[in-house]
Amino acid sequence: MTTQVQETANQQALQVSLSGFDLINSPRLNKGTAFSEDERDVFDLHGLLPPHVGTLDEQLGRRMQALEAQPTSFAKYSFLRDLQDTNETLFYALVVRNVEQMLPLVYTPTVGEGCQRFSEIWRKPRGLFLSYPNKHRITQILNHSRYDNVKCIVVSDGERILGLGDQGAGGMGIPIGKMALYTALGGIQPENCLPILLDVGTNNEERLKDPRYLGWRNRRVRGQEYDDFVETFVSAVKTRWPHVLLQWEDFAGSNAARFLARYRNQLCTFNDDIQGTAAITTATLISAINVTGIPLEQQRIVVFGFGSAGLGITNLLAQFIEDRGLSKEETRARFYGIDQYGLITESRQHVEPGQLPYARKEQEVQSWRQPNGEITLLDVVRNVKPTVLIGVSGQAGTFTEEAVREMAKYTSRPVIFPLSNPTSRSEATPQDLMNWTEGRALIGTGSPFAPVDFGGKKTPVAQTNNSYIFPGLALGIVASKARFVTDTMVKAAATELIKNLPTQKDKQAPLLPPISQARPLGRLIAEAVGRQAIKDGQAQITGEDALSRELDANIWEPQYVPYERKE
């Protein structure tokens, strides 16, 4: 963008070198019918546009009418993707002014189908596909001048898209969607954001057999070749943008955890599936605790799905519990982790190093076992009598009626969070949970659900959406020019959201603020993260005044500004 756009000294007009078709076909610069008469003269637009000179508000009205005429959520998703690739200002204005309506269309749950059907609707380039056969070209691809202004990258390899599994190149829908929320909810300028898909093949037979599939039509590269490819990518990123923020997204659990561990001290990086999910879940749980009145350190917490996301949630919650005065051993005793093999125990096979600190002692659980030796969710519920049940398994329906009713016997206000995305992968539906607990459950979900109806009363369902966290976290990292992302910076993001929970003042309030407040919340979270980066010695700025100036400089508002011709 540096060759095309340069802000003038008063920062009210933009100097633009493009004209005619090239200007109209630039999503970042296109205004459609809102180009003024003078701009049409200067940029050779007469005849290319209808004669009416419109406004952004008029365009929003037309686009909203056209959007609402689309027959399905997927059709609306496709419509919005086309709009983003045609006129970014109009797209972001539509999202920012209608966040609650647009978020489920731009991101979860509809983005899941968008990834599954990505090859059907792909029309224009957005972001970068770095395919395995082009591994020797990665540096050349990244070095193009159009990427000079990049400050943030979201990268995926498409292997674990939401709860849908391997979508190959179609996984690009996730980085595109995340980057859109960086801008819509964090305010980060679109030209600072770069979605990237590492296309190392796919093991999804449906994709491989689909003649329309646009990705590299091979089975996934594994082992050392895969690691070397990722290393080549990271090395090229570090050289091209020494201070860039790199967010890992929707890698398979084992890869997600080890790449974060490997690279977090090499460049500024975080994993939203691990750290963002942990932050929003922690905040939502504390909101529920505001209602129940049971202190965090007295909760008995079952985490169903004890991979990278489940461990991320557990580790952050453990930090908050330790802050209440408990030792590490006392804190870890509050958690019960369950994965595909059942309860994590010291004597069990298939226990990962990260799970081991939370493994239960054999003498504690001997009597819990099924005849086959497994300890299921129902066994844990019967013996632990948990107060909190969190699901990040990606397995629909695994919070069974029997287990939930058993939990509700012992807890007056059971806290139950089926967090898996998309909606079809949720561990239980909120309506079922409310029915099985006689209306007593405090519920948080990963995907949006309609309000539940119980006893003639409709109750909204809190969506524990990472969108409350990661846009502000990213903005704070960018504005503070942080060298690395520390655990305390992620914790600061969660803490700031906790300060703004509706239940801090009203126990009858929803567990989370309206998602329509995500953008102003993003600014508050960014300030908290930036202050923590300064405190941690990671920031390349000094003092809160400098942080405030950088935040202002990095926040973009989706509105049209006048253009001047750059010769």
Side-chain angles (χ1 to χ4, degrees):
M1 292 299 295
T2 51
T3 59
Q4 299 174 3
V5 182
Q6 177 182 340
E7 293 197 26
T8 58
N10 61 15
Q11 295 194 354
Q12 294 180 351
L14 291 177
Q15 289 191 342
V16 178
S17 60
L18 300 180
S19 63
F21 272 114
D22 292 334
L23 178 56
I24 292 174
N25 286 323
S26 168
R28 181 66 182 89
L29 298 174
N30 184 26
K31 299 183 187 180
T33 58
F35 281 105
S36 68
E37 287 288 351
D38 287 344
E39 289 169 336
R40 296 177 189 217
D41 289 339
V42 170
F43 294 102
D44 303 320
L45 298 175
H46 288 297
L48 299 179
L49 296 169
H52 172 72
V53 176
T55 66
L56 179 60
D57 285 343
E58 290 174 352
Q59 292 175 333
L60 286 168
R62 282 200 299 272
R63 292 302 87 198
M64 182 61 81
Q65 184 177 18
L67 177 69
E68 291 174 344
Q70 301 302 313
T72 65
S73 292
F74 177 71
K76 292 176 181 177
Y77 170 86
S78 181
F79 175 90
L80 289 168
R81 283 284 300 108
D82 283 346
L83 180 59
Q84 185 181 16
D85 288 338
T86 303
N87 183 332
E88 286 188 338
T89 302
L90 180 54
F91 167 79
Y92 284 114
L94 192 67
V95 175
V96 168
R97 297 190 192 187
N98 305 276
V99 171
E100 292 193 9
Q101 182 178 351
M102 297 299 159
L103 198 58
L105 301 175
V106 173
Y107 203 60
T108 55
T110 314
V111 70
E113 188 175 358
C115 291
Q116 291 174 308
R117 301 175 65 179
F118 186 87
S119 295
E120 293 179 35
I121 64 171
W122 187 89
R123 293 177 180 84
K124 293 184 178 181
R126 177 165 291 273
L128 290 174
F129 291 87
L130 302 180
S131 62
Y132 188 76
N134 280 330
K135 57 183 180 293
H136 61 291
R137 296 189 177 97
I138 289 178
T139 297
Q140 173 192 343
I141 292 169
L142 299 185
N143 279 345
H144 196 284
S145 61
R146 71 171 62 93
Y147 308 121
D148 286 350
N149 284 345
V150 167
K151 296 182 180 180
C152 312
I153 293 170
V154 173
V155 63
S156 179
D157 70 350
E159 185 170 9
R160 200 233 65 183
I161 296 302
L162 306 175
L164 300 172
D166 188 349
Q167 299 302 320
M172 178 57 119
I174 295 293
I176 289 174
K178 285 279 185 178
M179 295 263 76
L181 299 185
Y182 268 49
T183 298
L185 304 184
I188 298 174
Q189 300 183 46
E191 61 265 35
N192 296 157
C193 300
L194 180 62
I196 293 180
L197 191 286
L198 303 181
D199 187 359
V200 292
T202 179
N203 291 339
N204 185 319
E205 294 292 341
E206 187 178 353
R207 301 291 163 266
L208 290 171
K209 293 176 181 177
D210 185 351
R212 296 169 298 183
Y213 179 61
L214 296 175
W216 182 48
R217 201 178 296 271
N218 281 269
R219 294 200 169 274
R220 280 192 173 271
V221 174
R222 297 291 194 191
Q224 193 61 48
E225 288 181 313
Y226 172 73
D227 284 4
D228 290 346
F229 180 74
V230 174
E231 177 66 29
T232 298
F233 162 70
V234 173
S235 297
V237 166
K238 289 193 294 184
T239 300
R240 177 65 167 98
W241 304 284
H243 306 299
V244 78
L245 167 62
L246 176 66
Q247 177 191 323
W248 305 89
E249 186 69 26
D250 282 1
F251 284 74
S254 58
N255 290 331
R258 67 190 184 91
F259 287 152
L260 179 62
R262 178 185 300 176
Y263 294 116
R264 66 181 306 171
N265 294 320
Q266 294 188 32
L267 77 166
C268 185
T269 189
F270 75 97
N271 185 303
D272 188 53
D273 301 314
I274 298 173
Q275 294 158 293
T277 300
I280 183 59
T281 305
T282 297
T284 313
L285 176 53
I286 289 176
S287 189
I289 288 170
N290 291 341
V291 177
T292 66
I294 301 172
L296 179 60
E297 64 270 21
Q298 295 180 21
Q299 301 287 334
R300 296 181 299 279
I301 303 170
V302 173
V303 181
F304 187 81
F306 214 54
S308 57
L311 273 169
I313 292 167
T314 302
N315 288 333
L316 184 57
L317 279 170
Q319 291 179 42
F320 276 82
I321 293 175
E322 284 184 46
D323 289 347
R324 307 287 182 101
L326 271 66
S327 68
K328 284 189 181 298
E329 292 72 22
E330 291 170 329
T331 295
R332 290 168 177 169
R334 312 309 299 175
F335 294 93
Y336 299 80
I338 302 174
D339 64 7
Q340 61 183 317
Y341 304 107
L343 180 68
I344 306 294
T345 65
E346 289 181 343
S347 61
R348 205 196 74 178
Q349 293 181 332
H350 311 294
V351 177
E352 300 295 330
Q355 299 172 328
L356 197 56
Y358 301 99
R360 312 305 299 194
K361 295 186 180 301
E362 184 60 32
Q363 58 267 34
E364 176 190 4
V365 301
Q366 271 184 337
S367 63
W368 303 6
R369 294 187 183 281
Q370 295 290 315
N372 64 1
E374 185 181 358
I375 301 175
T376 67
L377 173 62
L378 181 58
D379 298 321
V380 173
V381 169
R382 282 174 173 161
N383 289 278
V384 172
K385 301 176 176 58
T387 56
V388 178
L389 175 58
I390 297 170
V392 281
S393 67
Q395 302 298 313
T398 47
F399 288 178
T400 63
E401 179 175 0
E402 187 176 9
V404 172
R405 287 192 181 277
E406 185 73 18
M407 179 181 180
K409 287 181 184 178
Y410 310 107
T411 305
S412 60
R413 298 300 305 273
V415 178
I416 307 178
F417 294 170
L419 299 182
S420 292
N421 284 315
T423 311
S424 62
R425 300 291 173 144
S426 182
E427 285 81 3
T429 68
Q431 188 63 62
D432 280 344
L433 293 175
M434 195 64 82
N435 292 341
W436 298 338
T437 61
E438 294 81 40
R440 294 182 282 121
L442 292 164
I443 302 168
T445 60
S447 288
F449 281 88
V452 295
D453 190 349
F454 189 84
K457 178 184 176 183
K458 287 193 176 294
T459 303
V461 178
Q463 187 189 358
T464 57
N465 194 321
N466 293 23
S467 302
Y468 283 101
I469 295 291
F470 72 80
L473 176 62
L475 177 60
I477 292 166
V478 169
S480 65
K481 303 180 181 179
R483 296 178 181 88
F484 302 109
V485 181
T486 63
D487 288 339
T488 47
M489 289 162 64
V490 177
K491 187 178 178 185
T495 301
E496 185 61 32
L497 179 56
I498 289 166
K499 291 178 182 177
N500 291 275
L501 293 172
T503 55
Q504 295 284 21
K505 297 179 179 179
D506 180 6
K507 289 188 176 184
Q508 303 303 315
L511 296 183
L512 290 169
I515 196 65
S516 59
Q517 294 181 16
R519 189 172 170 100
L521 277 170
R523 170 68 185 243
L524 294 174
I525 290 170
E527 290 173 356
V529 170
R531 288 194 300 269
Q532 189 64 48
I534 294 170
K535 183 178 179 181
D536 290 348
Q538 297 299 334
Q540 298 179 65
I541 61 170
T542 304
E544 294 197 19
D545 289 344
L547 175 61
S548 183
R549 288 193 298 272
E550 287 294 331
L551 285 168
D552 290 340
N554 279 282
I555 292 177
W556 174 77
E557 297 293 339
Q559 56 194 16
Y560 293 136
V561 297
Y563 294 167
E564 294 176 352
R565 186 68 178 258
K566 178 185 177 183
E567 298 301 333

